[in-house]
Amino acid sequence: MKILVAIKQVPERDAQIGITASGRWIDESDLNYTINEPDAYALEEALQLKEKNGGEVVVMCAGPERVGSTLREALAKGADRAIHIEANDLGERDTLGVAQVLAEIAKDEAPDLILTGLQSDDLGLGQTGVVLAELLGIPHATLIMHVEKTATGLRVKRELEDGWFQYVEMPLPALLTIQSGGNKLRYATLMGIKKAKTKETKTLQAAAAVSPSIALERVYLPEKQKETEMLTGTPAEVAAKLVEKLKFEVRVL
Amino acid sequence: MSGVLVVMEQRGGAWNRMSFEALAAGQQLAAKLGIECSAAVIGESVKTLVTELAGKKLAKVFAVQHGLLKDYTSDGYVVALESLLKQTGPVYVVLPHTYQVRDFAPALATRFRQSLISDVIAMHDGPVFVRQLLQGKLNADYKQADAGPCFVSVQAGTFRAEDVEEGAATVENFTPQLEASQIRSKPGQLFREVAHTVDLSAASVIVSVGRGIGEQENIGIVEELAAALGAELAASRPICDNGWLPMERQVGSSGQTVAPKLYLAVGISGAIQHLVGMKGSKTVIAINKDEHAPIFEVADYGVVGDLFEVVPSLTKALLAAKG
Amino acid sequence: MRAALKEALSRGWVRMVALVCAATVGARIAGAVLSSEIHFSATLAEPGKFSRLEVALLLIGAGISIALFFRRFGPILCIIFRSKKDKDFSLHPIGRRMWDFFWEVLCQGKVIRQRPLPGLAHAFVFWGFLAFALVSLNHLANPFGLAFLRPASYVGNFYFLFAAIWALLVAVSITVLFVRRFLARPIWLGEKLSYESGVIAFLIFLLMVSYLGAFFVGDGGAAVKALWWMHTLTLLVFLPLIPHTKHLHLVLSPLTVFLKRDGFSKIPPLSSDEDFGLIAGKDVTQLISLQVYSCVECGRCTEHCPASNTGKVLNPKEIVLGVQSYLNQSGPASDAPLLTEALVESRDNPPARYMSMEAAFECTTCGSCEYQCPVGIQHLPIIIGLRRGATNTGAWEDTHGTKLFLALEKQGNALGLSAMERDKFIQKQGFPIFDGTQEYCLWLGCMGGYDPKGREIVADFARVMRYLGTSFGVLKKEKCTGDPARRLGNDLVFQTMAESGLKAFEAAKVQKIVSICPHCVRTISNDWREYGIAPEIEHHSEFMARHKDRLPQQNSGESIVYHDPCYLGRYRDVYEEPREIVARAGELVEAPRSHERSFCCGAGGGLAFLGEETGERVSHVRAAELVATGAKIVGTACPFCNTMFRDALSSMGDAPPQLLDIAQLTARALPTMQKTGER
């Protein structure tokens, strides 16, 4: 089974965020980047499927030069090949634009299955996978916890709200967006890194962007909307104050 | 039509409550822009639900019905809504940001060469749609850049279902063209992994415990507090992941969304995934030893202190007050 | 009856009494002999002429004996030589090797010091063997008429008497050791009785008795000839037994001690791109082969192992013997894995239990095993080598281990917390940022930067430094030294952390570092050497001890029991400095196992970050020992020890002793000062 995993490189979770002077995006100069966490789970799922069913795992990532390190990490974890789609203007494209870039590669690779993370840690739109599936004309399913290959295609476990789950049967080729936490992530090993040096990384140029349908006008720090009243004192004093609030303000006693 | 179309969500004849928040959002957007607001319900036979909507302030209510739409499938909903939208031509399509919407709305938007503006937390004049980036660290303003239609999904708790205006609407039946071959996936029965014994969404007082509790054995002190308050016990994701409390007590983006009268957060830092599940609460009280914990951003009352001292004191004071 | 006897003999004091009794009996016999009717001549009787037949028999016997010896010894030598070369081995510093050889082999320093009575007994046997060298040579030269020591001559007579005293000591000692092994049965010698040891003991006894006997018979008679043959046959039987038993150490251990890796717990760098650690036989190096064949099975390593003492599978002796048994079975070029993945209980393969991944990952790297070994076996490179083989290939799948490695990769600290937490702490404490103008860089480490108690220790040490007027700054950004990754065998993560750290120090132009954590100190000063030289670093106990006269002398009279951290004591040989600090704060009390025998707190080897322990908790065992001293305060010098004991002490009764780091003990007596930037 040939699996294509679309991964994204995002700023590290606890990076200090500063906004550029124009207010249109964040200051990227001092940031460390890493693989988007849900994509790491997608990669893990792909590697486990390969271990069970054989085949090939190809990772692709669109972005500037720095995404190379994330692709190498993916190779070190066990992916067979990497494709770097060079693009320095991803911020100017909307979801549709980004998905179109990925779709070009996916069409050439013609995989049996495409996996990607549920959403990205930076923009968090959670749509690229679905849009990519639509552009390729293949069926998709989102919020997948578990994937199993069957004679007719796939059987996937989908997470729903409120503790509900659902199994869905799908034909191949298909696209799945993977939810975090389904599998245990593996750590990058020395052996993996050494093997990665011998694996192929292809670099391609992204096609020119078309005008986007939505525009990100500006970013800013969220204003605090609530006035929080802080209660101070010894634990006993605080407890007394709280009981008073609960009695007279919140009125639950 | 060129107004606002709100896509409601139902399953097995019961509403997903968030639909009404989206409805309120749609009505408010339409009012701001001086255009009409309509709603659509999708399913096999949605007569009762549609009748309920007919009593709201809407221009039209579309009953999108087809045998193949009995169970949700992305293919079914996308094809059905695409034909509805082509026929009605709204400028704005508003949906609640549910798991289901995340599954089909992006595909639907793609059919119109649009990108969905998802998980909106506010709508300002423009219209400008506000989203959160970087796990809630930043807000971002989005605008429609071309002719549209503009697809928007609204985050839970952003709008209040109570704000839906009453009125009268005409009901219109819409039967889309759907072939069985167009539906490529076969969804199975819904199931729960553990017996569901607790309905947090119905509780009026919730005491919630987070990582600050340290060890499983310590949860007892929070249980005592909950008992003293007559509250339901809930937890943030790490507690449930560890197995210290059952998954059904999880509040957050991957657990339950609650809006009780009082939400008491004990030892919870307030990561965005948790906040999303409880920020609709009327009153929030937070106890945390870190004064910079994000939970204090949404708290009405905050206590910076050691929960191992504050919680027992509070329990004691409550029991004394109750007499 | 036997069970009762066994029960009684399991008590230490009973064993001592038994040994003393045996020794006394031995001496009594000797005394009786010396003053009895048995005619004792002060000279050794010489055997008379040897017939051609006798000479022929001797030559044939010797030939067979030597052939049998080499039949087993040859392959062992072969295995050792065919093992992979140690890439980082160097004979230098030769002085150190010579000293170790002199002290540990010739003086039997470690043997006696760490197990006094049995150690002394063994030392006598060893020295006796050395003293006997000339005697044995002379003995075998006799049939050829080439004897060079004449009992008649002054030198010869003196030497024979000298050797006789040794023979007596050896006979008594070997009897004592026999009684110890077969009657007292200390558990560290293993559960199975070693009959081969009994045979060897008997042979040694025979050698001595057959020598001493020659003092009681006349020259040239049948008696002396019989004794001569008894002695010779014993020798000829003994020789081939040597390579078949643990007595191979007679031949190998002097070499093993001499050729030891230079450094305690010295982990060799990976030798090539294909080297991932000890996965199979072909990864076992010559030093390791030599060491595992030198094992005397004394069990000193296991006796002091915190894992073995708390019911875990890990048994250092069995790991060494397991590697030996693997080499015997599969050889040094084999691809068969050294470790089994799961705990496979197998009657046919007992080593499997001990040579499992589970066992290998129970090691706290406390170093007691390596420290105690009298024949120069270095257990830590072996155990960590086994871990490397499992971790570097991804074979080790452990939830907590994975979480740790991912946390180190993503957040740069072992606790998986946001780096902003450290920033907040620095701000709150008003620590100056190191900018090249201050004398010291204060290294916080993961515990000092993120753990609440670790932070208290750092804050107090900062107060001490301010009080002493020493300028210091903290690095703006700190990542973990990589210690847990290093000890768990993850070379990829370790390399990343080490290189990042070295770069950070260089960029900030740091010259001197001080840290509250012995793990950080060890890793930066020692383990980082593989990738570069770090600025000099010392532990805060060393720093404070230098300034101890300026620190207030507290006269509280409180008893403080000091716990030697593994990474400060055995790893760095720092025992007295922390004690000097403790003495300034109260009355120093020693734990029963202290200094180089200090019992681990259980946190090392990355175990502080792994899941729940099986069996008894190491920290609880040690904490109980510390509490039992009756001291009011438990003094620590390592934030990990501190955290482990905090847990353990809180589960011990209502009024457990206070737990304070030496920095806290010192700072509590300092006048309260204005901290810059503190609210």
Side-chain angles (χ1 to χ4, degrees), chain B residues 207-218:
Chain B
V207 173
S208 193
V209 60
R211 258 212 279 237
I213 198 71
E215 310 266 324
Q216 184 171 14
E217 298 89 65
N218 302 335

Side-chain angles (χ1 to χ4, degrees), chain B residues 4-319:
Chain B
V4 174
L5 179 69
V6 180
V7 179
M8 309 287 283
E9 183 169 312
Q10 63 85 20
R11 185 161 72 211
W15 288 117
N16 179 318
R17 285 182 244 231
M18 263 178 78
S19 305
F20 286 90
E21 295 177 16
L23 191 55
Q27 285 181 333
Q28 287 172 34
L29 178 63
K32 247 195 254 209
L33 297 173
I35 52 179
E36 288 180 334
C37 181
S38 299
V41 188
I42 307 150
E44 186 185 28
S45 165
V46 295
K47 197 138 182 260
T48 351
L49 299 175
V50 155
T51 317
E52 190 184 329
L53 283 183
K56 308 292 174 201
K57 186 177 177 213
L58 296 163
K60 289 216 179 102
V61 176
F62 297 97
V64 181
Q65 295 171 112
H66 194 289
L68 290 170
L69 293 172
K70 175 164 186 271
D71 292 318
Y72 164 76
T73 58
S74 168
D75 289 332
Y77 273 48
V78 168
V79 170
L81 283 172
E82 185 189 10
S83 50
L84 176 68
L85 293 181
K86 282 212 169 97
Q87 184 172 300
T88 57
V91 211
Y92 292 94
V93 180
V94 176
L95 310 107
H97 192 72
T98 65
Y99 282 19
Q100 189 168 285
V101 164
R102 292 161 79 170
D103 194 56
F104 77 84
L108 179 62
T110 305
R111 295 209 173 189
F112 291 86
R113 295 286 129 188
Q114 296 297 312
S115 287
L116 167 71
I117 305 177
S118 57
D119 213 21
V120 162
I121 58 166
M123 285 193 212
H124 296 151
D125 291 337
V128 168
F129 301 100
V130 184
R131 292 190 66 243
Q132 289 169 306
L133 304 180
L134 297 160
Q135 321 264 303
K137 289 205 191 101
L138 285 185
N139 282 356
D141 286 349
Y142 281 79
K143 265 180 127 150
Q144 184 66 18
D146 63 8
C150 178
F151 291 83
V152 174
S153 70
V154 181
Q155 193 183 88
T158 305
F159 292 86
R160 302 200 73 98
E162 299 94 74
D163 293 342
V164 170
E165 288 182 61
E166 305 290 306
T170 18
V171 174
E172 207 176 288
N173 284 315
F174 181 86
T175 310
Q177 287 266 59
L178 257 186
E179 311 290 322
S181 59
Q182 283 177 300
I183 300 182
R184 298 168 289 183
S185 319
K186 250 198 303 270
Q189 281 282 57
L190 263 64
F191 64 94
R192 273 199 156 115
E193 298 208 303
V194 277
H196 199 75
T197 53
V198 162
D199 186 7
L200 288 178
S201 54
S204 68
V205 184
I206 295 179
V207 173
S208 193
V209 60
R211 258 212 279 237
I213 198 71
E215 310 266 324
Q216 184 171 14
E217 298 89 65
N218 302 335
I219 293 185
I221 61 172
V222 183
E223 283 172 333
E224 283 170 19
L225 175 61
L229 261 177
E232 276 292 359
L233 188 61
S236 62
R237 183 158 183 168
I239 303 290
C240 298
D241 275 350
N242 285 350
W244 297 354
L245 282 178
M247 279 293 185
E248 56 179 357
R249 291 196 181 268
Q250 191 191 137
V251 167
S253 57
S254 52
Q256 296 206 50
T257 303
V258 297
K261 204 162 171 206
L262 170 66
Y263 190 87
L264 185 55
V266 177
I268 293 180
S269 65
I272 191 74
Q273 298 93 324
H274 185 78
L275 291 185
V276 161
M278 44 66 71
K279 67 188 189 27
S281 313
K282 274 217 105 147
T283 308
V284 176
I285 302 181
I287 304 172
N288 195 299
K289 67 172 189 257
D290 179 9
E291 61 186 310
H292 299 290
I295 190 79
F296 291 119
E297 307 279 311
V298 299
D300 297 283
Y301 304 104
V303 177
V304 178
D306 184 353
L307 69 89
F308 293 104
E309 293 179 345
V310 176
V311 169
S313 297
L314 182 56
T315 310
K316 206 165 140 203
L318 282 168
L319 292 171

